[in-house]
Amino acid sequence: MAKKTLIDYIVEKRLIDPLVLDSLRKEAEKKGIPLENYLLESKIVKEEDFYRLKSELLKIPLKSLVDKKIKPEVFKLIPIEAVQHYEFTPIHIDPKKKILEVGMISPEDVEAREALKFIAHRNNLTPKIYLISATDFKEALKQYTSLKGEVEKALTELERELKKERIVFKKEKRVEKIEKLAEEAPITKVVATILNHAIEERASDIHIEPTEKSLKVRFRVDGILHTSLLLPVKIHSAVVSRIKILSNLKIDETRIPQDGRFYTSIGKWKIDFRVSTFPTYAGEKVVMRILDPSVGLRRLSELGLEGKNLKILKQAINKSFGLILITGPTGSGKTTTLYSILNILNKEDVNIVSLEDPIEYYIEGVNQSQVRPEIGYSFATGLRHVLRQDPDKIMVGEIRDNETAALAIHAALTGHLVLSTLHTNNALGVIPRLIDMGIDPYLISPTLILAVAQRLVRKLCPDSKQLMTLSPKMKKLVDEQVKEIKKKDIKALKSYQPTAGHPQGDKFYMSKVSKTCPKGTMGRIGIFEMLYMTPQLEKILVTEPSETKIKEEMEKQRMVNMLQDGLVKSLRGIVNFEDVAKAVESK
């Protein structure tokens, strides 16, 4: 016996004359909408009757949201994109029973229920579903919009304070002024000043850490954390709350970590702040990653790619299909390299689609998509859908599991150029890592074009660096590496010609603090190594894919490794060789 539909039930309850049902169905087909929607839109069936009968049929309680104010912290459990897509809205949380009450227009939608189940479980809650009307759903959306408006207002205030602060403190001692400001100024101004100070110091991250006696603010500049400000601990909760408002996070939730982001304009640049809160013994710690497009979108040569490495990479990205993997630890500049490559590939006749978590910089002309694991939209799910978007080039933020790895290999095999990142210590480790993830070696050989490993090293200031004497250990290491470079490729050192004022030979430099360079260094530069696919390597992968055999092929390729690439940059006075050695040793 066929399951009774809502239309059958409406007819049974005599809200529609069965004789006119066929004509109504034809009208709905003409308009291209489901018959149920047509009955509501044309008001043939009253909304209250429609949802009352639907509630009876589905045996799901009907809930009215008329005059019901939903708390902002409840809204923040579910992203507005999920609310709009699945047409459900959070209503209430019962913290004792750990129940999340949710109103749904279509509780019979299996996909929507699965997404809801995933979101609720992620927050350690059990969903309790109610049926709500379309009108009530629209009212809930208005409240979402109102909440968004509060955030936008806070961002507008922030931008106003940032502009004021740049004028007021232009010629004053910034640290002293900020610490004094914290005692007497509104919190909006304190937060704006911290952000401005961080940007002027070229910080990549801001750490706001409560201690028993003070609120410590540390900036990461050129990869090194240092304390920049000590503020009164009494303003800690106010500062954190202000940042949470800007980031659209739950203000009253201090027990669990939260993630958010906000944008603001400083001068001509739109700067993105990625925010992470973390509960500690002394209170919530906040870390903000600063994503400045003027820093993030660079040419390959500006990243430190030159000579043989630059030539190899350019040849690889000009191929029409295959897999290019960039590897290194967190914070080694992998994403920046990917963005630089995307900028080169971004042309009118090319369709580029990227899957990112998060989107760090927006590139006009590239179809960038933010994955959302909380609603089931992962890298693997996204890759399946990307292949239906007729892409030429695909960028996947990171290959984290065997499913994503298999899909990336499949995409490369079917005629797409795929770019992604992987976590290994060096270029040699890429192939064993893919095999560990369940990829058969015979699939790697026709797809992997290039494996790039990289690290970031602090650049010396051109006008304030000073000569140094290498320790016996470092001197021995230099002598060994120079010999190796010359064995691999006699042109390797010559391909890095010294520029004016940069010595070459046995002279090495270290950083020096000066007025123009208060930290002793000025930015960072990449050191690289590259393993590319050759017929010999393909044969090794099919017959004996061991690390020993792959390493032998690397030697035959005369690959300049990261330590040697850093050594050449040291000989030119660009970086300190001891910093290079430390960076390469880091896992």
Side-chain angles (χ1 to χ4, degrees), residues 143-182:
Q143 292 187 48
Y144 257 100
T145 307
S146 173
L147 181 66
K148 187 179 177 183
E150 290 178 23
V151 175
E152 288 174 350
K153 181 182 175 184
L155 287 171
T156 302
E157 289 174 359
L158 173 65
E159 289 190 9
R160 194 183 304 124
E161 292 295 343
L162 285 169
K163 287 174 185 174
K164 282 183 189 174
E165 193 273 340
R166 290 179 79 82
I167 296 167
V168 173
F169 301 130
K170 192 174 181 181
K171 294 183 179 178
E172 300 192 39
K173 291 184 178 179
R174 300 183 60 81
V175 172
E176 292 176 13
K177 198 66 184 176
I178 296 167
E179 291 177 353
K180 184 181 177 183
L181 180 74

Coordinates of all heavy atoms in Angstrom, one line a residue, residues 143-182:
Q143 N 15.5 37.8 12.3 CA 16.3 37.9 13.5 C 17.8 37.6 13.2 O 18.7 38.3 13.8 CB 15.8 37.0 14.6 CG 14.4 37.4 15.1 CD 13.9 36.5 16.2 OE1 14.7 36.3 17.2 NE2 12.7 36.1 16.2
Y144 N 18.1 36.7 12.3 CA 19.4 36.4 11.9 C 20.1 37.7 11.3 O 21.2 38.0 11.6 CB 19.5 35.3 10.9 CG 19.9 33.9 11.4 CD1 19.0 33.0 11.7 CD2 21.2 33.6 11.5 CE1 19.3 31.7 12.2 CE2 21.6 32.4 12.0 CZ 20.7 31.4 12.3 OH 21.1 30.2 12.7
T145 N 19.3 38.3 10.4 CA 19.7 39.5 9.7 C 20.0 40.6 10.7 O 21.0 41.4 10.6 CB 18.7 40.0 8.7 OG1 18.4 38.9 7.8 CG2 19.2 41.2 7.9
S146 N 19.2 40.7 11.8 CA 19.4 41.7 12.8 C 20.7 41.5 13.5 O 21.4 42.4 13.8 CB 18.2 41.7 13.8 OG 18.4 42.6 14.9
L147 N 20.9 40.2 13.8 CA 22.2 39.9 14.5 C 23.4 40.3 13.6 O 24.4 40.8 14.1 CB 22.2 38.4 14.8 CG 23.4 37.8 15.5 CD1 23.5 38.4 16.9 CD2 23.4 36.3 15.6
K148 N 23.3 40.0 12.3 CA 24.4 40.3 11.4 C 24.6 41.8 11.4 O 25.7 42.3 11.3 CB 24.0 39.8 10.0 CG 25.1 40.0 9.0 CD 24.7 39.4 7.7 CE 25.8 39.6 6.6 NZ 25.4 39.2 5.3
G149 N 23.5 42.6 11.5 CA 23.5 44.1 11.5 C 24.3 44.6 12.7 O 25.1 45.6 12.6
E150 N 24.2 43.9 13.9 CA 24.9 44.3 15.0 C 26.4 44.2 14.8 O 27.3 45.0 15.2 CB 24.5 43.5 16.3 CG 23.1 43.8 16.8 CD 22.7 42.9 17.9 OE1 23.6 42.3 18.6 OE2 21.5 42.7 18.1
V151 N 26.8 43.0 14.1 CA 28.2 42.8 13.8 C 28.7 43.8 12.9 O 29.8 44.4 13.0 CB 28.4 41.4 13.2 CG1 29.8 41.2 12.8 CG2 28.0 40.3 14.3
E152 N 27.9 44.1 11.8 CA 28.4 45.2 10.9 C 28.5 46.5 11.5 O 29.5 47.3 11.2 CB 27.3 45.2 9.7 CG 27.4 44.0 8.8 CD 26.3 44.0 7.8 OE1 25.3 44.9 7.9 OE2 26.3 43.2 6.9
K153 N 27.7 46.8 12.5 CA 27.8 48.1 13.2 C 29.1 48.2 14.0 O 29.8 49.2 14.0 CB 26.6 48.3 14.2 CG 26.6 49.6 15.0 CD 25.5 49.6 15.9 CE 25.5 50.9 16.8 NZ 24.5 50.9 17.8
A154 N 29.4 47.0 14.6 CA 30.7 47.0 15.4 C 31.9 47.1 14.5 O 32.9 47.8 14.8 CB 30.8 45.6 16.1
L155 N 31.8 46.5 13.3 CA 32.9 46.6 12.3 C 33.1 48.1 11.8 O 34.2 48.6 11.6 CB 32.7 45.7 11.1 CG 32.9 44.2 11.4 CD1 32.4 43.4 10.2 CD2 34.4 43.9 11.7
T156 N 32.0 48.7 11.6 CA 32.0 50.2 11.2 C 32.7 51.0 12.2 O 33.5 51.9 11.9 CB 30.6 50.7 10.9 OG1 30.0 49.8 9.9 CG2 30.6 52.1 10.4
E157 N 32.3 50.8 13.5 CA 32.9 51.5 14.6 C 34.4 51.2 14.7 O 35.2 52.1 14.9 CB 32.3 51.1 16.0 CG 30.9 51.6 16.1 CD 30.2 51.0 17.4 OE1 30.9 50.2 18.1 OE2 29.1 51.3 17.7
L158 N 34.8 50.0 14.4 CA 36.2 49.6 14.4 C 37.0 50.4 13.4 O 38.1 51.0 13.6 CB 36.4 48.1 14.2 CG 37.9 47.6 14.0 CD1 38.7 47.8 15.3 CD2 37.9 46.2 13.6
E159 N 36.5 50.4 12.2 CA 37.1 51.1 11.1 C 37.3 52.6 11.4 O 38.3 53.2 11.1 CB 36.4 50.9 9.8 CG 36.5 49.5 9.2 CD 35.9 49.4 7.8 OE1 35.6 50.4 7.2 OE2 35.8 48.2 7.3
R160 N 36.2 53.2 12.0 CA 36.3 54.6 12.4 C 37.4 54.8 13.4 O 38.2 55.8 13.3 CB 34.9 55.0 13.0 CG 34.7 56.5 13.1 CD 33.4 56.9 13.7 NE 32.3 56.3 13.0 CZ 31.4 55.5 13.6 NH1 31.5 55.2 14.9 NH2 30.4 55.0 12.9
E161 N 37.5 53.9 14.4 CA 38.5 54.1 15.4 C 39.9 53.9 14.8 O 40.9 54.6 15.2 CB 38.3 53.1 16.6 CG 37.0 53.3 17.4 CD 37.1 54.6 18.2 OE1 38.2 55.2 18.3 OE2 36.1 55.1 18.6
L162 N 40.0 52.9 13.9 CA 41.3 52.7 13.3 C 41.8 54.0 12.5 O 43.0 54.3 12.6 CB 41.2 51.5 12.3 CG 41.2 50.1 12.9 CD1 40.8 49.1 11.8 CD2 42.5 49.8 13.6
K163 N 40.9 54.6 11.8 CA 41.3 55.8 11.1 C 41.7 56.9 12.1 O 42.7 57.6 11.9 CB 40.1 56.3 10.2 CG 39.9 55.4 9.0 CD 38.7 55.8 8.3 CE 38.4 54.9 7.1 NZ 37.1 55.2 6.4
K164 N 40.9 57.1 13.2 CA 41.3 58.1 14.2 C 42.6 57.8 14.8 O 43.5 58.7 14.9 CB 40.2 58.1 15.3 CG 38.9 58.8 14.9 CD 38.1 58.7 16.2 CE 36.6 59.2 15.9 NZ 35.8 59.0 17.1
E165 N 42.9 56.6 15.1 CA 44.1 56.2 15.8 C 45.3 56.5 15.0 O 46.3 56.9 15.5 CB 44.0 54.7 16.2 CG 45.0 54.2 17.2 CD 46.3 53.8 16.5 OE1 46.2 53.5 15.3 OE2 47.3 53.8 17.2
R166 N 45.2 56.2 13.7 CA 46.4 56.5 12.8 C 46.8 57.9 12.8 O 48.0 58.3 12.7 CB 46.1 56.0 11.4 CG 46.0 54.5 11.3 CD 45.7 54.1 9.9 NE 46.8 54.1 9.1 CZ 47.7 53.1 9.0 NH1 47.6 52.1 9.8 NH2 48.8 53.2 8.2
I167 N 45.8 58.8 13.0 CA 46.1 60.3 13.0 C 46.6 60.7 14.3 O 47.7 61.3 14.5 CB 44.8 61.0 12.6 CG1 44.4 60.7 11.2 CG2 45.0 62.5 12.8 CD1 43.0 61.2 10.9
V168 N 45.9 60.2 15.4 CA 46.3 60.7 16.8 C 47.7 60.2 17.2 O 48.4 61.0 17.8 CB 45.2 60.2 17.8 CG1 45.7 60.5 19.2 CG2 43.9 60.8 17.5
F169 N 48.0 59.0 16.9 CA 49.3 58.4 17.4 C 50.4 58.4 16.4 O 51.4 57.7 16.6 CB 49.0 57.0 18.0 CG 48.0 57.0 19.0 CD1 47.0 56.1 19.0 CD2 48.1 57.8 20.1 CE1 46.0 56.0 20.0 CE2 47.2 57.8 21.1 CZ 46.1 56.9 21.1
K170 N 50.3 59.1 15.3 CA 51.2 59.0 14.2 C 52.7 59.3 14.7 O 53.6 58.6 14.3 CB 50.8 60.0 13.1 CG 51.6 59.8 11.8 CD 51.0 60.6 10.7 CE 51.8 60.4 9.4 NZ 51.3 61.3 8.4
K171 N 52.8 60.3 15.6 CA 54.2 60.7 15.9 C 54.5 60.4 17.4 O 55.5 60.9 17.9 CB 54.4 62.2 15.7 CG 54.3 62.5 14.2 CD 54.5 64.0 13.9 CE 54.5 64.4 12.5 NZ 54.7 65.8 12.2
E172 N 53.7 59.6 18.0 CA 53.9 59.3 19.5 C 54.5 58.0 19.7 O 54.5 57.1 18.8 CB 52.6 59.5 20.2 CG 52.0 60.9 20.1 CD 50.9 61.1 21.1 OE1 51.0 60.6 22.2 OE2 49.9 61.7 20.7
K173 N 55.1 57.7 20.9 CA 55.6 56.4 21.3 C 54.4 55.5 21.5 O 53.6 55.6 22.4 CB 56.4 56.5 22.6 CG 57.7 57.2 22.4 CD 58.5 57.2 23.7 CE 59.8 57.9 23.5 NZ 60.6 57.9 24.7
R174 N 54.2 54.5 20.6 CA 53.0 53.8 20.5 C 52.7 52.9 21.7 O 51.6 52.9 22.2 CB 53.0 52.9 19.2 CG 53.1 53.8 17.9 CD 53.0 52.9 16.7 NE 51.8 52.2 16.7 CZ 50.7 52.7 16.2 NH1 50.6 53.9 15.8 NH2 49.5 52.0 16.2
V175 N 53.7 52.1 22.2 CA 53.5 51.2 23.2 C 53.0 51.9 24.5 O 52.1 51.6 25.2 CB 54.7 50.4 23.5 CG1 54.6 49.5 24.8 CG2 55.0 49.5 22.3
E176 N 53.8 53.0 24.9 CA 53.4 53.8 26.1 C 52.0 54.3 26.0 O 51.2 54.3 26.9 CB 54.4 54.9 26.3 CG 55.8 54.4 26.6 CD 56.8 55.5 26.7 OE1 56.4 56.7 26.8 OE2 58.0 55.2 26.7
K177 N 51.7 54.8 24.8 CA 50.4 55.5 24.6 C 49.3 54.5 24.7 O 48.2 54.7 25.3 CB 50.4 56.2 23.2 CG 49.3 57.2 23.1 CD 49.5 58.4 24.0 CE 48.3 59.4 24.0 NZ 48.5 60.5 24.9
I178 N 49.5 53.3 24.1 CA 48.4 52.2 24.2 C 48.2 51.8 25.6 O 47.0 51.6 26.0 CB 48.8 51.0 23.3 CG1 48.9 51.5 21.8 CG2 47.8 49.9 23.4 CD1 49.5 50.4 20.9
E179 N 49.3 51.6 26.4 CA 49.1 51.1 27.7 C 48.4 52.2 28.6 O 47.6 51.8 29.5 CB 50.5 50.8 28.3 CG 51.1 49.5 27.6 CD 52.5 49.1 28.1 OE1 53.1 49.9 28.8 OE2 52.9 48.1 27.7
K180 N 48.7 53.4 28.3 CA 48.0 54.5 29.0 C 46.5 54.5 28.6 O 45.6 54.7 29.4 CB 48.6 55.8 28.7 CG 48.0 57.0 29.5 CD 48.7 58.3 29.1 CE 48.1 59.5 29.9 NZ 48.7 60.8 29.5
L181 N 46.3 54.3 27.3 CA 44.9 54.4 26.7 C 44.0 53.3 27.4 O 42.9 53.5 27.6 CB 45.0 54.1 25.2 CG 43.8 54.1 24.4 CD1 43.2 55.5 24.2 CD2 44.0 53.4 23.0
A182 N 44.6 52.1 27.7 CA 43.8 51.0 28.2 C 43.2 51.4 29.6 O 42.2 50.8 30.0 CB 44.7 49.8 28.4

